[in-house]
Every structure is written in C-alpha cells, then in structure tokens.
Amino acid sequence: MLTISKPLSSGQAQAYHKEEFANARDNYYSEGDRVHGEWHGQLAKQWGLKGEINEEHFARLADGQHPLTGVQLVQHRAAMEYLNEHGEKVKTMEHREGWDATFSAPKSVSLTALVGGDDRVRTAHQESVGVALDELERYVQARIGSNHPAETTGKWIAARWVSPSLR
C-alpha cells in the first residue's frame, strides 16, 4: 500500500528529517547509531547523487538549492492570505518542497519475510518499491517559473529509507 502525505514545506521536510531520520536513537529506520537512506531517481543520477544520503545535501534540496553546489534553484513563495468568493479567509501554502510516501507491505508479506526469514520475499518487496518509484517518477511535474502551467519533467530526486529489518 502507498500512503502519500500532504505537501511539505522546506521547514516541515527538514524537521521531519531531523525527527525521523537524523536522530538514529530509538528510530524504526536505524541500524546501530545510523539511519541509512539512499538517493533514487533520474535527477539524482543526473546530479551525481548516489548511494547513502548526505544530511547537508538533503537540507539543501529541502531549501530548493542544488544539493552539491548550493545554487538556489527554486524561488520560494511566501504564504499569502486572501478572501475567496464566499468571503472566507484562505491562506495559501508556502513553497512545496516535497512529500512523504510510505510503501507498506501487506501483513502476510511482512510475516513471511521477517518471521519466516524468507529473503526472497524481502528482496521482492524492495524491488517492487523501486519499480513503483520509477513508475511514479514518469508523472512528476514542476512549474518552471511564476505563473507557467506545470509541465511533466519525468525526473525527481527521492530520498529512500528502508527499515533495517527489510534490508
């Protein structure tokens, strides 16, 4: 099952990363004192991001900067308030930096892989998540400049964390 969060702002993405992944102590995704994640996606490959996630690179991406050079790539938009046609106050969201997507295996798969110790099932689950990420990437869109409509880019950078029990 795939669960996708509401859009995350830069601050939310960085806070989430710090709470969930940067602090390895007592974390579901930790192994020893480290939380291991890896880069995924065509844009990650294009920019030379491969292997383990670097916290500085993650923070730069969350701020809309190139992860290696720090060059600002995304013009941030502050939240605005306005009255809609019903006279209700509406507040827009600041720039959306990303989303959290969680791939959950069915209980039977988890039990077979973890309790039953079947590495084939564990491997199949990880491969299926990779295939799903690749398929989702094909539909990635971005707005290239102010009021231009979204265009399909077909590439993204995804930070992928895997539970140590499923590695």
Side-chain angles (χ1 to χ4, degrees), residues 86-108:
H86 305 292
E88 301 164 331
K89 190 184 290 188
V90 176
K91 184 175 182 178
T92 63
M93 184 177 179
E94 60 184 294
H95 178 75
R96 296 172 182 104
E97 290 297 338
W99 291 261
D100 175 49
T102 303
F103 291 87
S104 304
K107 182 86 57 186
S108 59

Side-chain angles (χ1 to χ4, degrees), residues 14 17 31 42 45 71 73 88 92 109 125-126 130 137 145 152 157 166:
Q14 290 188 57
H17 179 262
E31 189 168 43
Q42 294 302 313
K45 287 178 189 170
V71 170
L73 301 171
E88 301 164 331
T92 63
V109 170
H125 174 70
Q126 289 309 313
E137 183 176 26
T152 301
I157 294 178
L166 292 174

Side-chain angles (χ1 to χ4, degrees), residues 114-133:
L114 303 177
V115 177
D118 192 335
D119 286 335
R120 297 171 304 164
V121 174
R122 180 186 329 217
T123 300
H125 174 70
Q126 289 309 313
E127 289 175 0
S128 69
V129 169
V131 168
L133 285 170

